[in-house]
Amino acid sequence: MSMVATNMTQGDSKMRTCDLPPYVRDFRYSEDSLGYVFVVHNHPVGDVLSRRDIRYIFNQGVMHGFSFKTGEREIPIGIIAFFSKGGPGSPSCDGFFQYTPLTGDLLRWTVDARSGLKREQYGVVRWLDSENFEIEYR
């Protein structure tokens, strides 16, 4: 899980970023038990993933790899951002946005009281080169 740290250089909330540790070793779990590798943060107002979010996880993939092999499985990296529709004093987790660089899919997962999580693809990221990308919204 990523962690945002606010310091003097990140005083502007629009410029804050998360930072991934270069490696995580947790001897309580075997590599075969790994199911997902996500950078996790929140978007309290429910906005879609930003271009900065997309670029950040892409850059992490360039640095660390876009997937990890654990046993016979290939686990992709991604980024998710939780959102809430509740106002101050009534927080709720109403869903999350997800981007996985290997597929390019931009997903919105919402909580449905009857059926649990509902998955909706709201766009696709297409990388034009290592610096530039476009988003096709659906």
Side-chain angles (χ1 to χ4, degrees), residues 29 35 40 48 54 62-63 67 74 90 92 101 112 114-116 123 133:
Y29 304 98
V40 179
V48 297
I54 291 167
V62 169
M63 188 174 3
S67 64
E74 194 77 19
S90 60
S92 61
D112 184 301
R114 290 179 293 145
S115 60
F133 65 93

Side-chain angles (χ1 to χ4, degrees), residues 50-111:
S50 70
R51 293 183 72 84
R52 290 182 72 221
D53 293 330
I54 291 167
R55 179 169 306 289
Y56 178 81
I57 197 61
F58 179 82
N59 290 341
Q60 293 300 312
V62 169
M63 188 174 3
H64 298 290
F66 289 99
S67 64
F68 300 88
K69 186 141 177 94
T70 60
E72 298 297 315
R73 297 178 6 191
E74 194 77 19
I75 308 292
I77 67 165
I79 189 167
I80 61 175
F82 291 95
F83 65 86
S84 173
K85 294 177 184 171
S90 60
S92 61
C93 180
D94 296 305
F96 59 92
F97 297 101
Q98 176 183 346
Y99 170 58
T100 305
L102 279 179
T103 65
D105 295 335
L106 288 168
L107 305 175
R108 178 185 295 114
W109 294 83
T110 52
V111 177

Side-chain angles (χ1 to χ4, degrees), residues 4-39:
V4 67
T6 306
N7 58 37
M8 292 176 69
T9 61
Q10 291 187 340
D12 181 350
S13 64
K14 293 179 183 171
M15 297 304 293
R16 290 183 187 150
T17 60
C18 297
D19 193 18
L20 276 180
Y23 300 97
V24 176
R25 295 188 107 183
D26 189 335
F27 295 105
R28 297 174 299 171
Y29 304 98
S30 69
E31 287 186 5
D32 291 342
S33 69
L34 185 64
Y36 305 96
V37 177
F38 285 114
V39 173

